[in-house]
Amino acid sequence: MKMNSENLLVGCEDVSVVLSGRRIVEGFSLRIKRGARVGFLGPSGCGKSTLLNLISGIIEPASGTVSRHLPVEKISFVFQDASLIPWKTVCGNLQLVNDLMGSSRLAKEQLSQRIVNLLEQVGLSEHLNSFPDQLSGGMKMRVALARALMNSPDLLLLDEPFSALDDMTRERLQDDLLKMNAANGSAFVMVTHNIDEALLLCSHICVFSQDGKVIKEFLFDDRSEAIEMRLRRESKEFALFRNEVRQLWNSQSRVGGVNA
Amino acid sequence: MRSLVVIILLLVIWESACRIFSIPSWLLPKPSAVFAALSKDVTSLVRSFFFTAKLTVCAFILAVVTGFLVGVLSHISKGFREGIFPFSILLQTTPVVSVAPLLIIWFRNNAFLALLACSWLVCVYPMISSTFAGLGQSDANLQRLFRLYKSGVWHRLWHLELPSALPQIMNGVRITGGLALVGAVGAEFVAGTGGQELGLAYRLLMAAYNQETAKLFAALAVVSAFGIAVHFLLSYLETAVLRKLRVIKGSAT
């Protein structure tokens, strides 16, 4: 895919983040373009989730610049927990995002149609009126994914979205994510502890040290369709990358940096 | 049902012990004597009960409304929270006995208002702290989502924080209900009723003063029964509201 400056969604230049007097992230730079699949890989507490808050605009940097070339309504979040509202039905949980959209809210009929389409997409059509406590963990996560797609986001921010799921559900949702990326051309930034998941889903991986610095970046050939990334699992290239990341992590562990 | 069996069993043991050991009635009257006193004084006890119940309900409603409002305002305004904080500590630490004389002076023309103020002082703090603590415990991820889309304070409060806080708020309501009765009886003990209406605390005091222990137990039985009724009613309300709204402790699913 040919990229130019018009495709830039968010640009971070030499950014530092300080929270409660502690420097969480330092000297971070990243350009997120339309259709990008970016992965943040690193140990707990290294500032990966903070960076998602920074990219989305929830927090501002202590130094450096963050330029956003998309309205906030075109950004979505998926969290580690489904974080559904227990007193609302699946339909109500999806409506929530629309309620938060302000002026770009969908009209009632469009909204109903959109909810039906999204639930169909994630295979939960028959659960429109179910409450979260009537759904399994995987189903809740699919509702969370559908909720994140309510506003047709150009940028999807995923904070360890599949870490609490079983293998089968995780693979299905990973497939769903890649299909959506391929179909809509929306970009995503994913925080993960899982090296295989990052290599499988992302075309650009930033590996972080414990003190919030990027110690290595991997850029993969992005010419193939996103869905074909799954074929990489069995390839020699995949094994080499995985080995390289593991060695990097091990070297960090020896200097007391990585605890994952 | 089991509680009822235990109560009946205890009454039987109590009655038997009084008869077998010939315990004097001024020290520990037989349950049968207490029931006799209860039925003899039923008219005056009912009148006193209504007075105490009215005071309890008024103090409860006032405490729930004001406690809730102070809790909400403390949550949304840092300035208000910091300004009100010393007074919240005062409410928690100052014994009502020490404030009662002042309230009697202020409300010298209306004894009921003096008692209401005393009861309110006793029971308002749990409502403030429950509301404030509950509002700060909504799901952190949903907070991020609301902040991302620049949701307003009231919108966030109505759609996320208040429903999430309901388990704590309802818990506060239940505790406030129990304390409202404690406050009402305690207030009448220390402030009296200005010779107007007579509450259950007055019955307790008079029975103790005249060494009519059976009457004292009868008044005590009415206070206890009312306290249990308030507790169960508010517990039922708490369960019903939380079940209806599917609000489970821990907020988001």
Side-chain angles (χ1 to χ4, degrees):
Chain A
M1 197 186 298
K2 193 182 173 187
M3 295 289 182
N4 56 44
S5 60
E6 286 177 12
N7 283 323
L8 185 68
L9 296 175
V10 179
C12 302
E13 293 294 331
D14 198 22
V15 166
S16 298
V17 180
V18 176
L19 292 178
S20 307
R22 193 170 82 89
R23 192 167 288 272
I24 310 285
V25 176
E26 198 168 356
F28 176 77
S29 297
L30 179 71
R31 291 167 70 80
I32 304 165
K33 294 179 176 175
R34 201 168 292 278
R37 303 191 302 279
V38 182
F40 292 164
L41 195 57
S44 300
C46 72
K48 305 185 299 292
S49 300
T50 304
L51 276 175
L52 293 191
N53 287 343
L54 181 82
I55 289 166
S56 66
I58 292 176
I59 57 170
E60 291 300 324
S63 64
T65 55
V66 179
S67 55
R68 297 179 193 88
H69 304 277
L70 76 172
V72 72
E73 290 84 2
K74 285 291 173 187
I75 301 176
S76 263
F77 252 112
V78 180
F79 309 105
Q80 183 176 2
D81 305 313
S83 289
L84 302 179
I85 294 182
W87 58 90
K88 285 182 186 283
T89 60
V90 167
C91 181
N93 269 282
L94 265 62
Q95 274 178 358
L96 170 75
V97 175
N98 194 57
D99 292 342
L100 292 170
M101 283 299 113
S103 56
S104 51
R105 257 179 229 169
L106 293 174
K108 200 175 176 183
E109 281 179 16
Q110 283 177 297
L111 176 67
S112 304
Q113 193 54 50
R114 176 114 189 102
I115 290 172
V116 168
N117 289 345
L118 281 171
L119 288 180
E120 207 169 293
Q121 203 173 332
V122 295
L124 289 171
S125 304
E126 67 275 31
H127 291 283
L128 184 73
N129 295 315
S130 300
F131 284 92
D133 61 1
Q134 296 169 320
L135 305 176
S136 68
M139 288 159 106
K140 284 178 196 167
M141 222 44 233
R142 276 144 68 193
V143 175
L145 198 55
R147 180 178 67 187
L149 298 172
M150 267 300 291
N151 53 340
S152 309
D154 288 335
L155 177 59
L156 193 55
L157 303 172
L158 303 119
D159 194 350
E160 300 180 46
F162 310 130
S163 59
L165 300 175
D166 61 86
D167 286 353
M168 295 280 284
T169 312
R170 186 186 304 123
E171 282 193 17
R172 179 178 172 171
L173 288 175
Q174 286 171 342
D175 269 345
D176 287 347
L177 183 66
L178 288 179
K179 278 179 194 164
M180 285 166 201
N181 173 259
N184 310 336
S186 56
F188 68 76
V189 180
M190 170 188 272
V191 164
T192 181
H193 291 293
N194 189 317
I195 298 171
D196 283 10
E197 185 173 77
L199 291 170
L200 192 66
L201 297 176
C202 305
S203 55
H204 180 179
I205 298 172
C206 303
V207 183
F208 287 82
S209 64
Q210 181 68 62
D211 57 356
K213 287 179 184 157
V214 176
I215 48 174
K216 181 86 179 177
E217 283 188 71
F218 295 93
L219 286 161
F220 300 116
D221 178 9
D222 204 27
R223 282 172 300 183
S224 58
E225 289 295 317
I227 197 66
E228 288 177 17
M229 291 291 285
R230 289 189 63 77
L231 299 174
R232 283 192 171 165
R233 187 189 281 279
E234 307 302 329
S235 71
K236 192 180 170 188
E237 186 191 29
F238 185 95
L240 285 170
F241 278 128
R242 185 168 47 194
N243 197 35
E244 193 177 344
V245 176
R246 280 197 196 288
Q247 280 179 357
L248 200 59
W249 277 40
N250 287 337
S251 67
Q252 284 286 304
S253 298
R254 277 196 292 277
V255 295
V258 176
N259 61 2
Chain B
M1 190 63 196
R2 283 177 187 167
S3 307
L4 198 64
V5 172
V6 171
I7 288 169
I8 291 168
L9 199 66
L10 283 174
L11 287 175
V12 170
I13 293 169
W14 178 2
E15 180 81 27
S16 311
C18 286
R19 286 176 191 274
I20 292 165
F21 301 110
S22 303
I23 300 170
S25 62
W26 60 265
L27 185 63
L28 183 67
K30 296 188 284 289
S32 55
V34 174
F35 283 120
L38 198 62
S39 48
K40 190 182 166 195
D41 282 348
V42 69
T43 317
S44 57
L45 278 174
V46 165
R47 204 169 57 242
S48 296
F49 164 75
F50 278 118
F51 178 81
T52 303
K54 186 172 83 173
L55 183 59
T56 303
V57 170
C58 289
F60 169 71
I61 292 170
L62 192 64
V64 166
V65 172
T66 52
F68 176 77
L69 288 176
V70 171
V72 169
L73 288 171
S74 301
H75 173 71
I76 58 178
S77 162
K78 195 182 172 193
F80 184 85
R81 180 166 65 247
E82 287 174 354
I84 209 79
F85 186 72
F87 297 100
S88 300
I89 300 287
L90 274 179
L91 280 175
Q92 198 185 7
T93 54
T94 309
V96 71
V97 183
S98 58
V99 191
L102 190 63
L103 293 171
I104 292 165
I105 294 169
W106 285 347
F107 298 104
R108 62 185 177 280
N109 296 325
N110 194 330
F112 186 80
L113 274 185
L115 295 178
L116 184 62
C118 284
S119 312
W120 177 82
L121 279 174
V122 171
C123 66
V124 72
Y125 185 76
M127 195 62 208
I128 297 174
S129 60
S130 300
T131 305
F132 178 68
L135 289 172
Q137 286 185 355
S138 55
D139 184 81
N141 288 329
L142 288 171
Q143 283 279 4
R144 278 164 93 187
L145 203 62
F146 277 70
R147 280 170 64 197
L148 169 66
Y149 297 125
K150 317 284 185 227
S151 168
V153 170
W154 296 108
H155 187 266
R156 194 166 67 235
L157 189 73
W158 183 249
H159 289 279
L160 176 66
E161 290 166 342
L162 268 179
S164 301
L166 263 182
Q168 293 244 33
I169 292 173
M170 291 309 294
N171 193 32
V173 167
R174 188 165 45 78
I175 294 168
T176 302
L179 283 179
L181 176 60
V182 172
V185 173
E188 204 188 338
F189 265 126
V190 294
T193 55
Q196 295 169 11
E197 291 176 274
L198 309 173
L200 286 169
Y202 177 81
R203 299 279 163 208
L204 286 166
L205 281 172
M206 287 314 291
Y209 182 73
N210 295 327
Q211 290 201 330
E212 294 174 306
T213 320
K215 278 188 177 179
L216 197 152
F217 267 93
L220 198 60
V222 176
V223 172
S224 303
F226 184 46
I228 291 168
V230 167
H231 176 82
F232 277 109
L233 186 72
L234 292 177
S235 295
Y236 174 78
L237 183 74
E238 181 183 12
T239 310
V241 167
L242 298 186
R243 193 170 290 167
K244 173 84 178 162
L245 293 174
R246 286 175 178 266
V247 178
I248 303 148
K249 281 177 187 179
S251 155
T253 310

